[in-house]
């Protein structure tokens, strides 16, 4: 058979996982479901248990299991790429030696914590010629793919304003951003706008295309989770000294034992403990004075914001607004885009959005139709984007057709820079920042 025959099967992409945490576990599932596409051949993690999990799950050779990136780059390159799922503040420091060692990379967001880090990483990519794709997974969700197509096709004309809103539900808020590992810039390296909402501002930048920002302003604060808002008589820890715990919506017992929501598993995982099975074991774990997940949500002294708004003026005069609120009853991502010929509005979680266009001849002066992608993303976290970004990464490295929303590092810079300037504005009491 001619070696140029396109029917020849390509070998799976050989990948090393750096940071075997929750996100990496999600991205590597394709190696189990579609081994013809992805093969995990190595792991780097400081935690011996996670290294062993990866070794057993993917059948790794012991010599391909490393505790640090330095150990990995000390041996000859033996894979095509890496999936970098380390904690946010380690993204740049771990990425640089890997890129210089010749590895292409799928990198978890945010790819950098500030403009200086972003420029260092971009410079390394330019110097090495390596490929870095960022895990802005929502670009791959059918909802946003279809919304982007409607805008690019001119269905609502030229954009006048784009408004986006992210509601973070109360149990996610309490686990991750009040009690958890993202509650402090000292711990995770950044604030909530970058940690949680770099997805949203990347989407806004992508939807607006080549129309880049001109000026940015932002305000926000810690509004709800402060000591003066604690219920009257509240203690310092839910299960040990709080007489009003049973009536508090942020009771650790109610959230993580009595009514364990989806985020309760993060409590045990992020506490680096074996998942307790019984009520007694869970109560004991949450009663431990060293466990932050048992602390009063109003007395955690978190130093990030729980609500923030961003205002953007674009180069052509259009405006963009983004608002994030933590502690909502449900999680929602809403969008409302107004153009010169109509508007688009909807909520991501419903899987539907409405296109309403100006039509003087119509009885109501407009024509409306609903775009429904429920079936395409039903039951899929992030609308299926977690899987699709990995497939796109594989396709890109194989030289195959890729998504129009492909998230190469160079394509992801605008959304991150919006966050950096918004934070600079917030810290300066809302002062306008020039792009």
């Amino acid at each position: 058979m001619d070696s140029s025959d396109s029917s020849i099967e390509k070998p799976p992409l050989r990948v090393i996982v750096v940071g075997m945490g929750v996100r990496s576990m999600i991205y590597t599932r394709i190696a189990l479901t579609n081994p013809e596409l992805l093969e995990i051949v190595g792991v780097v993690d400081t935690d011996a248990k996670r290294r062993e999990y990866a070794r057993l799950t993917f059948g790794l050779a012991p010599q391909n299991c490393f505790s640090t990136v330095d150990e990995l780059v000390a041996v000859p390159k033996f894979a095509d790429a890496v999936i970098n799922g380390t904690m946010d503040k380690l993204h740049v420091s771990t990425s640089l030696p890997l890129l210089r060692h010749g590895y292409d990379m799928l990198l978890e967001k945010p790819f950098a914590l500030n403009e200086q880090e972003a420029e260092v990483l971009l410079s390394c990519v330019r110097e090495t010629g390596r490929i870095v794709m960022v895990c802005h997974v929502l670009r791959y969700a059918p909802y946003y793919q279809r919304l982007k197509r409607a805008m690019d096709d001119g269905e609502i004309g030229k954009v006048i304003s784009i408004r986006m809103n992210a509601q973070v539900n109360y149990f996610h808020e309490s686990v991750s951003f009040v009690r958890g590992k993202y509650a402090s810039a000292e711990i995770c390296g950044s604030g909530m706008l970058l940690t949680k909402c770099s997805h949203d501002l990347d989407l806004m930048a992508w939807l607006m295309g080549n129309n880049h920002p001109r000026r940015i302003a932002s305000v926000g604060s810690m509004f709800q989770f402060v000591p003066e808002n604690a219920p009257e008589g509240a203690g310092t820890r839910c299960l040990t000294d709080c007489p009003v715990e049973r009536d508090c919506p942020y009771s650790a017992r109610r959230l993580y034992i009595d009514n364990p929501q989806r985020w309760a598993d993060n409590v045990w995982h992020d506490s680096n403990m074996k998942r307790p099975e019984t009520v007694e074991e869970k109560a004991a774990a949450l009663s431990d004075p060293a466990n932050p997940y048992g602390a009063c949500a109003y007395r955690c002294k978190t130093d990030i914001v729980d609500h923030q708004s961003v205002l953007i003026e674009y180069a052509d005069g259009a405006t963009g607004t983004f608002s994030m609120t933590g502690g909502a009853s449900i999680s929602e991502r809403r969008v409302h885009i107004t153009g010169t010929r109509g508007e688009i509005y909807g909520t991501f979680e419903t899987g539907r959005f409405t296109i309403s266009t100006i039509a003087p001849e119509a009885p109501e002066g407009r024509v409306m139709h609903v775009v429904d992608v429920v079936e395409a993303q039903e039951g899929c976290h992030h609308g299926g984007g977690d899987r699709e970004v990995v497939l796109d990464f594989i396709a890109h490295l194989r030289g195959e057709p890729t998504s129009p929303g492909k998230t190469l590092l160079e394509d992801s810079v605008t959304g991150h820079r919006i966050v950096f300037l918004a934070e600079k504005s917030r810290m300066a009491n809302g002062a306008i920042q020039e792009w």
Side-chain angles (χ1 to χ4, degrees), residues 265-341:
D265 283 341
N266 291 55
V267 171
W268 321 120
H269 178 274
D270 295 341
S271 298
N272 293 316
M273 65 175 73
K274 179 182 177 183
R275 190 184 191 284
E277 298 299 330
T278 67
V279 169
E280 291 74 22
E281 289 174 340
K282 292 177 181 179
L286 294 170
S287 298
D288 184 343
N291 190 336
Y293 295 98
C296 173
Y298 299 96
R299 306 185 194 280
C300 286
K301 298 181 180 179
T302 178
D303 63 5
I304 63 169
V305 303
D306 61 9
H307 74 298
Q308 186 167 354
S309 295
V310 181
L311 175 62
I312 304 168
E313 179 186 43
Y314 283 91
D316 68 351
T319 57
T321 56
F322 172 73
S323 179
M324 175 277 297
T325 305
S329 61
I330 59 172
S331 285
E332 281 188 337
R333 282 185 162 100
R334 303 172 188 165
V335 63
H336 192 151
I337 306 166
T338 302
T340 53
R341 294 179 53 198

Side-chain angles (χ1 to χ4, degrees), residues 16 36 67 86 134 148 187 225 230 239 241 253 256 260 275 318 378 384 389 412 429:
I16 300 165
E36 75 282 4
S67 59
T86 56
V134 182
K148 172 68 169 170
I187 299 172
F225 301 98
L239 277 72
D241 67 353
R253 185 190 304 275
Y256 315 138
R275 190 184 191 284
E378 191 171 17
V389 72
S412 301
N429 296 316

Side-chain angles (χ1 to χ4, degrees), residues 144-200:
Y144 291 110
Q145 290 270 322
R146 179 63 183 85
L147 195 155
K148 172 68 169 170
R149 189 163 76 244
M151 294 178 67
D152 289 348
D153 289 347
E155 293 192 43
I156 61 168
K158 190 174 183 179
V159 174
I160 301 170
S161 73
I162 177 169
R163 290 180 286 162
M164 299 179 69
N165 173 262
Q167 300 283 99
V168 184
N169 67 44
Y170 65 100
F171 46 89
H172 183 187
E173 175 76 15
S174 67
V175 166
S176 296
F177 305 106
V178 175
R179 292 171 167 140
K181 60 185 179 182
Y182 297 108
S184 167
E186 182 180 351
I187 299 172
C188 69
S190 65
M192 189 171 176
L193 194 65
L194 184 66
T195 301
K196 174 62 179 168
C197 302
S198 55
H199 274 317
D200 303 274

